[in-house]
Amino acid sequence: MERFLGSMNVILSDQFLWILGLMILVLLGLALFFAAFTFLLRLRTEKEARIWAGLKESWEPTLLEALTDPSRLNALWRKVGEKDHLHFLEFLLRYAQRLGGTERDTLRKAAEPYLPEILPLLKHRRIGTRARGVQTLGTLGLPGFADEIRDAINDPSPFVAAIAARLLAHEVGAEVASDLCLSLARFDKFRIWYLVDMVAAMGPDASPAIRETLEDPEMPVRTRAVAAHALSVLRDLASADPAARLTLKETDPEFLAALLRLLSQVGTPKHAPAARAHLDSEEFFVRSAATRTLAELGNEDDLPFLVERLSDPSTWVKMAAARGVYRLGGKATHAALTQEDPANPFFRQVLAEEAGK
């Protein structure tokens, strides 16, 4: 029995050594493979860098001349080889992202003969390739390729769709307002202020379509909040009445805060009741927005409401109330406070801000 166990130990030991040796060989092979892959990748990167440097050296002087004298574009086009069309568009894109005005127009003219070659990239399986295609076509090809960029709003990737929507907002504007507002729901993972900036970039002419989004009960609440913030940025006076109506019946805190912010920008004293209705909201940011709006739209009869807010647990509400009381009651209100009054520090800050204006 002991001899049998000894033989088994020898066999197991040999098998273990064989497996260990095999694993070492596999790991060594993988290390060599990754080393070779890294080396080849570096060679490829260096080769591409040399190609780019050569193309830039060939194109840049003539392009700079063409930016001041567009008649030089023919000379520039003659320097673009048959296989370098996409490289040339990438070269122009880098300039277009830094320049504007007539220089941007010249860059678009320079890109014109080669832009149709971008279209196949919009259907590429790789998200990054589609995104770069949309960026290039949208920067250098609008408004001529507006339909293609508009189609890209429906790209399976929200990232690609957002690039298309932002380009349309900045380059085409109000003409695409309805389509862009309808697409906002699919960007629910994006920061709200990114979307607000995109919508507001369409300009005042887009306000009617944005107001429709604001009032549409079928739209997601977050989309309607984006519309409210955008109308606030645009200071759209026509949105005051619908915003006031919505404020009196809506319950979503984020949407309410956006509506109140809008009213603080475009409302009139007749809209003050919409702010008073939410002074006691459970959410501090809604109370803060309501207090700030009442400070803008209210009158001396609202002073008691604002003074009461000076005892709110939220610092944001207290500051909004202090500004409101100062606006409606002036320095006399501050003079009536005792040194130990909890509201005193907030009034001191408001007075310092007013003195600095």
Side-chain angles (χ1 to χ4, degrees), residues 259-275:
L259 289 168
L260 288 164
R261 182 177 185 271
L262 173 57
L263 283 175
S264 73
Q265 297 295 319
V266 302
T268 64
K270 73 174 184 178
H271 301 121

Side-chain angles (χ1 to χ4, degrees), residues 87-101:
H87 282 102
F88 183 63
L89 290 172
E90 177 72 20
F91 174 72
L92 295 176
L93 178 63
R94 295 181 183 185
Y95 272 89
Q97 290 173 331
R98 302 195 301 266
L99 302 176

Side-chain angles (χ1 to χ4, degrees), residues 193-215:
W193 288 106
Y194 173 89
L195 301 178
V196 170
D197 176 70
M198 180 174 72
V199 174
M202 292 187 289
D205 289 342
S207 294
I210 304 173
R211 283 198 300 274
E212 287 183 16
T213 302
L214 176 76
E215 297 185 74

Side-chain angles (χ1 to χ4, degrees), residues 127-316:
I127 293 175
T129 301
R130 296 200 306 275
R132 198 59 174 172
V134 168
Q135 182 73 53
T136 303
L137 200 61
T139 304
L140 297 172
L142 288 174
F145 288 88
D147 289 341
E148 287 78 6
I149 301 300
R150 193 176 305 194
D151 290 341
I153 292 180
N154 298 315
D155 189 276
S157 166
F159 173 68
V160 177
I163 293 174
R166 191 171 183 84
L167 285 166
L168 287 170
H170 283 267
E171 303 292 341
V172 180
E175 293 178 28
V176 297
S178 295
D179 289 341
L180 193 145
C181 288
L182 286 173
S183 73
L184 289 174
R186 68 175 311 202
F187 304 133
D188 58 331
K189 303 301 181 185
F190 286 70
R191 290 184 299 108
I192 193 169
W193 288 106
Y194 173 89
L195 301 178
V196 170
D197 176 70
M198 180 174 72
V199 174
M202 292 187 289
D205 289 342
S207 294
I210 304 173
R211 283 198 300 274
E212 287 183 16
T213 302
L214 176 76
E215 297 185 74
D216 188 350
E218 300 299 320
M219 284 286 188
V221 171
R222 190 171 188 265
T223 296
R224 299 171 76 189
V226 169
H229 286 304
L231 290 167
S232 177
V233 172
L234 294 171
R235 295 184 180 273
D236 178 57
L237 299 179
S239 63
D241 285 344
R245 288 195 302 270
L246 290 169
T247 301
L248 292 172
K249 64 181 182 180
E250 290 295 335
T251 58
D252 182 85
E254 290 191 10
F255 189 26
L256 275 174
L259 289 168
L260 288 164
R261 182 177 185 271
L262 173 57
L263 283 175
S264 73
Q265 297 295 319
V266 302
T268 64
K270 73 174 184 178
H271 301 121
R276 295 188 196 106
H278 298 285
L279 290 173
D280 295 317
S281 171
E282 293 182 2
E283 301 291 345
F284 79 90
F285 58 89
V286 176
R287 297 198 307 276
S288 175
T291 304
R292 187 166 56 248
T293 302
L294 187 61
E296 292 292 330
L297 308 182
N299 54 42
E300 290 185 1
D301 292 338
D302 292 305
L303 268 173
F305 296 113
L306 295 173
V307 170
E308 186 178 349
R309 304 280 90 68
L310 292 172
S311 302
D312 193 277
S314 167
T315 299
W316 296 103

Side-chain angles (χ1 to χ4, degrees), residues 71-85:
S71 66
R72 293 287 294 161
L73 284 177
N74 286 326
L76 178 61
W77 289 330
R78 285 195 293 270
K79 292 188 175 185
V80 181
E82 286 293 327
K83 297 181 179 180
D84 297 328
H85 293 177

Side-chain angles (χ1 to χ4, degrees), residues 27-42:
L27 291 174
L28 180 61
L30 287 172
L32 292 172
F33 169 77
F34 284 116
F37 178 78
T38 303
F39 177 72
L40 292 174
L41 187 62
R42 180 178 178 182

